[in-house]
Amino acid sequence: MQVNDAYSMTVLVMGLMAALSFTQLLILDVVGLKSRHKPGHPIDVDHSSFLFRAFRSHANTNESVAIFILLAMFGMLSAAAPNWLNNSAALYLLGRLLHMLFYYSNYSLARSVAFGLSLFGLAGMLIAGFLPWL
């Protein structure tokens, strides 16, 4: 199956999001092993703990990635404006990447701004998907 070239950036972002999530999972696993965390046991809520920050960063990505995938598919199948969908998807990726880095670094204000960027990206994708229906 060949994907329309117009949405190639959105498809690339899907792959990059998979790579980002995989990277977060690896980091979380390595940090968990190094800290001798017992699998299945809760992680203490402590923002000074890198294990907690790595866990929350990965969990935050998991909480929004399904929405991203649904919006990407909805936009492509609705023949959304490619530039709008592609740019919104790229903004979502940038927001998630920055969110992860700022969460790891424990910069809470910057982390919140990055989270906002990812929300704007998702909102843009939602609007792009609905515009052809109007």
Side-chain angles (χ1 to χ4, degrees), residues 23-35:
T23 300
Q24 287 178 318
L25 180 63
L26 288 177
I27 291 170
L28 179 57
D29 283 348
V30 168
V31 170
L33 287 170
K34 283 188 155 200
S35 67

Side-chain angles (χ1 to χ4, degrees), residues 2-134:
Q2 187 175 7
V3 176
N4 185 337
D5 286 339
Y7 300 114
S8 60
M9 173 59 83
T10 299
V11 173
L12 175 62
V13 170
M14 292 173 101
L16 292 172
M17 277 304 303
L20 178 68
S21 187
F22 182 69
T23 300
Q24 287 178 318
L25 180 63
L26 288 177
I27 291 170
L28 179 57
D29 283 348
V30 168
V31 170
L33 287 170
K34 283 188 155 200
S35 67
R36 298 187 185 276
H37 177 76
K38 293 179 185 176
H41 287 248
I43 294 173
D44 293 334
V45 177
D46 179 8
H47 281 279
S48 65
S49 163
F50 186 77
L51 176 62
F52 172 75
R53 294 194 313 268
F55 170 73
R56 286 305 311 150
S57 176
H58 182 59
N60 287 153
T61 297
N62 279 345
E63 291 165 1
S64 68
V65 76
I67 298 167
F68 166 74
I69 293 166
L70 287 171
L71 290 174
M73 296 305 299
F74 174 60
M76 288 187 279
L77 294 172
S78 297
N83 284 343
W84 191 314
L85 188 66
N86 290 334
N87 291 337
S88 296
L91 182 61
Y92 170 76
L93 173 66
L94 177 65
R96 294 310 322 160
L97 178 64
L98 291 174
H99 181 268
M100 176 189 79
L101 294 174
F102 291 140
Y103 218 139
Y104 288 169
S105 303
N106 206 18
Y107 295 127
S108 58
L109 179 60
R111 179 185 78 218
S112 296
V113 170
F115 180 75
L117 282 177
S118 66
L119 286 181
F120 276 119
L122 291 175
M125 293 175 74
L126 180 64
I127 292 167
F130 275 117
L131 283 177
W133 294 90
L134 300 178

